Amino acid sequence: MSKSIKAIRGMHDVVPEQTPLWQYLESTIRRILAAYSYQEIRMPVVEKTELFKRSIGEVTDIVEKEMYTFEDRNGDSLTLRPEGTAGCVRAGIENGLLFNQIQRFWYMGPMFRHERPQKGRYRQFHQVGVETYGMDGAEIEAELILLSARIWRDLGLENIELQINTLGSAEERAVYRDILVKYLNAHKDQLDEDSIRRLDSNPLRILDSKNPDMQGLIETAPKLMDHLGADSSAHFTRLKMLLDQAGLTYQVNTRLVRGLDYYCHTVFEWVTDSLGAQGTVCAGGRYDGLIAQLGGKPTHACGFALGEERLIALLEDQGIKPDDTAPHVYLINVGTEAEIKAMELSEILREKVPGLRLLLNCGGGSFKSQMKRADKSGARLALIIGEDELQKSSVGVKFLRSGEDQRMIAMSDLPDIVDELLN
Ligand code: ATP
Ligand code: MG
C-alpha cells in the first residue's frame, strides 16, 4: 500500500463535526451585514503579485516573507491573496464601482500567508473583510466599529476589547516618522536586529515590537498623537465622541500602528486575552491613499478584516454552541419494495414539513443495523417501513430519545403527524 498524502502544514480541513460552529459564525455575520445594508463582493483568490507589492508595501512582513508567490504557465508572477483589501480595491476600480460613489462591501474567504504555524496562526486562514468607499469623516469609522461590536454581541462572545489610535494624515505621518527615526537612532544600542532593519524601511512598526527588552524605549518614544494637526485631532475626537455616544468602551493605544502601509487617521483592533499570543480577532482602519496608489482616482476608504479561526477558537473557549443540526427523522426501510416507497415518502415529507431534516437510510442493511445508524445519527424519531408496514400502508414510529411507546400510523397521515411531533 502506498503512503497516504497529508494536507499542507498550516492548512486545515474543517470536518463535519466542526462545520456547524463555522456556519453559526458566518450566518450571524451575514445577517448583521445585511442589517447594515452592506453588499457582498467576490474576488479571485489569485492576483498578480504586483498588486500586493504595490498596495501592502515592499517592506512589510507580508510582502517580504509571507506570500505564496509562483509563476504560472505563461511566466506571469501570481500570488495567493494574503488579504482581501488589495483585491477589493482592484475589483472596485476595474468595475467602475469606486469613483464618485459611496459603497459598502463585504467578502468572506480563505487567505494565505507563509507564517510559522501555531495556535491562531495558520498558512491558510479565513477572513471576513468589510470595506467602505467614498466617505470621509469619523461616522463611517464609528459605523464599522459598531458593526463589529454587534457581531461579538450577537455571537454571545465576551472579553473582546476595542483599541483605537490615529495615524494622522500622510503628511503628518511623514513628519512624525523623521522625529521617531531621530529618537530611535539616538538609542540605537537598545534596538534589536529586527528593529534596526526596520529603522529605514518601516520605523513605525518598531512601536509594535513585542520584544520585552525594548518596551522601556517604546514607552518613552515621541507619540504621533502629539504631532497631529487640528483637523486630524478633531477627526479623532469626533470618533471618540461617537463611540462614547454609542456606549462603547475603548482604549486609546498609541502603539497601534498596524502592519500595512496604507492606513491613515483611524486604526483599530479588537483584542482578547483568552487566546494567548494571537489575541487580535479583528483589525482595520482608514486607508484613503490606497485607491490612487493602485491607479484609481483618489477615494476615501476604510474597512476591517476579522479572523474566523480566532473567533471559532473563542467560541469554543467560551462554550458557545450552535443550534442542533442532527436529523429530526431517520427513515428505516427494509426490503426492495419498502426501499422504493421510502424514497417516495421521504420526498413527500421534505416537501410538506418545512424545516424538516430527514435522513433516509440508503445502501440497505438489516433492520437491526439500520436501527443502530438511526440511533447514532442523533435523530429524535425513527420511521420504519418494512414489508409488513408496506402491506398495511402504514409506518412505524419509534421515539429514540424518549420512553414513549412505538406506534403505527397511516402513511397518508405521516406529514401531519411528523409536523406535530416535531413542533
Ligand atoms: P497579526 O499581528 O496577528 O499577525 P496581522 O496584523 O498580520 O495580524 P491582518 O492582516 O490585520 O493581521 O488580518 C486581520 C485579522 O486576520 C487578524 O486580526 C487575525 O485575526 C487574522 N489573521 C491574520 N493572519 C492570520 C493567520 N496567519 N492565521 C489566522 N488568522 C490570521
Ligand atoms: Mg501578521
Side-chain angles (χ1 to χ4, degrees):
M1 216 168 64
S2 59
K3 221 171 133 204
S4 66
I5 298 169
K6 296 273 182 349
I8 295 163
R9 193 164 118 82
M11 304 199 181
H12 296 284
D13 305 305
V14 179
V15 297
E17 190 193 329
Q18 303 164 317
T19 46
L21 197 54
W22 283 79
Q23 287 168 357
Y24 168 67
L25 173 71
E26 292 177 352
S27 61
T28 303
I29 293 173
R30 280 199 176 90
R31 182 168 45 68
I32 293 170
L33 287 161
Y36 285 77
S37 263
Y38 282 53
Q39 297 173 294
E40 185 181 6
I41 182 166
R42 301 187 183 199
M43 295 85 65
V45 172
V46 187
E47 299 272 3
K48 291 185 182 151
T49 303
E50 187 56 28
L51 175 70
F52 302 113
K53 285 195 174 163
R54 233 210 272 177
S55 62
I56 300 170
E58 300 259 8
V59 289
T60 53
D61 284 352
I62 293 180
V63 173
E64 272 181 346
K65 50 190 184 197
E66 295 175 358
M67 294 208 301
Y68 279 90
T69 297
F70 60 95
E71 248 181 41
D72 79 352
R73 290 178 188 279
N74 306 326
D76 296 325
S77 180
L78 306 183
T79 294
L80 299 184
R81 64 179 184 194
E83 51 103 57
T85 304
C88 187
V89 171
R90 198 249 336 117
I93 297 171
E94 196 167 335
N95 293 285
L97 303 173
L98 301 188
F99 181 58
N100 253 344
Q101 294 175 73
I102 285 180
Q103 301 287 11
R104 290 171 166 87
F105 295 150
W106 66 270
Y107 49 83
M108 192 182 271
M111 307 292 161
F112 305 84
R113 298 184 194 175
H114 197 275
E115 305 198 64
R116 190 170 68 77
Q118 52 195 292
K119 186 175 180 248
R121 196 174 288 290
Y122 310 101
R123 289 181 173 173
Q124 174 172 333
F125 60 99
H126 298 78
Q127 284 184 340
V128 177
V130 179
E131 319 281 0
T132 69
Y133 300 100
M135 287 167 279
D136 198 1
E139 287 73 22
I140 187 61
E141 299 163 0
E143 175 174 295
L144 287 169
I145 292 172
L146 294 184
L147 190 163
S148 49
R150 186 176 297 280
I151 294 177
W152 326 141
R153 200 181 327 135
D154 283 13
L155 286 170
L157 287 173
E158 288 168 1
N159 192 27
I160 308 182
E161 265 150 31
L162 174 62
Q163 302 192 348
I164 59 173
N165 190 23
T166 177
L167 302 177
S169 66
E171 299 76 37
E172 287 155 1
R173 237 175 121 177
V175 171
Y176 169 73
R177 188 190 149 115
D178 290 345
I179 297 170
L180 182 66
V181 169
K182 219 174 260 163
Y183 167 86
L184 292 171
N185 259 319
H187 300 85
K188 210 166 178 177
D189 53 321
Q190 294 174 52
L191 295 178
D192 60 18
E193 207 178 303
D194 242 13
S195 302
I196 288 175
R197 199 169 49 84
R198 283 182 171 144
L199 199 50
D200 291 323
S201 58
N202 198 352
L204 264 68
R205 255 331 271 268
I206 299 176
L207 300 175
D208 208 18
S209 165
K210 308 275 183 309
N211 184 347
D213 296 337
M214 283 178 36
Q215 297 313 304
L217 183 72
I218 292 168
E219 282 306 320
T220 53
K223 296 193 173 24
L224 177 53
M225 195 77 79
D226 301 328
H227 295 85
L228 292 179
D231 286 356
S232 295
S233 288
H235 184 129
F236 196 51
T237 303
R238 186 161 174 82
L239 173 72
K240 289 189 286 186
M241 186 275 285
L242 291 167
L243 298 179
D244 291 337
Q245 190 82 14
L248 278 193
T249 51
Y250 53 84
Q251 226 189 333
V252 175
N253 176 359
T254 55
R255 294 173 51 173
L256 195 68
V257 294
R258 312 282 313 115
L260 310 182
D261 271 352
Y262 49 60
Y263 285 101
C264 63
H265 293 290
T266 303
V267 288
F268 63 92
E269 287 193 357
W270 287 94
V271 184
T272 178
D273 59 12
S274 311
L275 295 176
Q278 270 56 250
T280 304
V281 295
C282 173
R286 179 170 286 280
Y287 56 96
D288 288 347
L290 182 61
I291 291 86
Q293 201 172 308
L294 289 178
K297 299 251 169 48
T299 305
H300 294 292
C302 53
F304 68 76
L306 59 81
E308 292 193 66
E309 278 78 3
R310 293 185 193 177
L311 287 170
I312 291 286
L314 209 52
L315 287 166
E316 283 170 346
D317 184 64
Q318 297 184 10
I320 296 169
K321 295 214 162 58
D323 291 341
D324 192 13
T325 53
H328 300 111
V329 170
Y330 191 100
L331 181 46
I332 291 173
N333 49 97
V334 186
T336 325
E337 290 305 309
E339 282 169 3
I340 296 170
K341 193 72 199 171
M343 182 147 275
E344 184 192 327
L345 216 52
S346 66
E347 287 299 314
I348 292 171
L349 283 171
R350 291 184 186 114
E351 186 98 4
K352 297 206 165 157
V353 186
L356 175 70
R357 296 189 296 272
L358 182 150
L359 192 51
L360 172 67
N361 188 87
C362 289
S366 67
F367 175 74
K368 204 175 148 196
S369 71
Q370 291 195 33
M371 213 40 222
K372 270 194 191 151
R373 285 180 211 152
D375 201 46
K376 203 174 154 213
S377 75
R380 268 183 266 167
L381 291 183
L383 298 180
I384 302 156
I385 308 177
E387 255 156 51
D388 225 26
E389 285 82 3
L390 205 55
Q391 253 169 20
K392 297 178 189 147
S393 277
S394 58
V395 177
V397 180
K398 191 171 163 56
F399 297 84
L400 299 171
R401 317 288 149 190
S402 75
E404 239 173 289
D405 288 338
Q406 185 166 339
R407 60 170 118 137
M408 286 284 248
I409 57 176
M411 267 182 204
S412 52
D413 294 341
L414 197 57
D416 285 343
I417 288 178
V418 167
D419 197 22
E420 225 169 89
L421 286 172
L422 294 174
N423 292 304

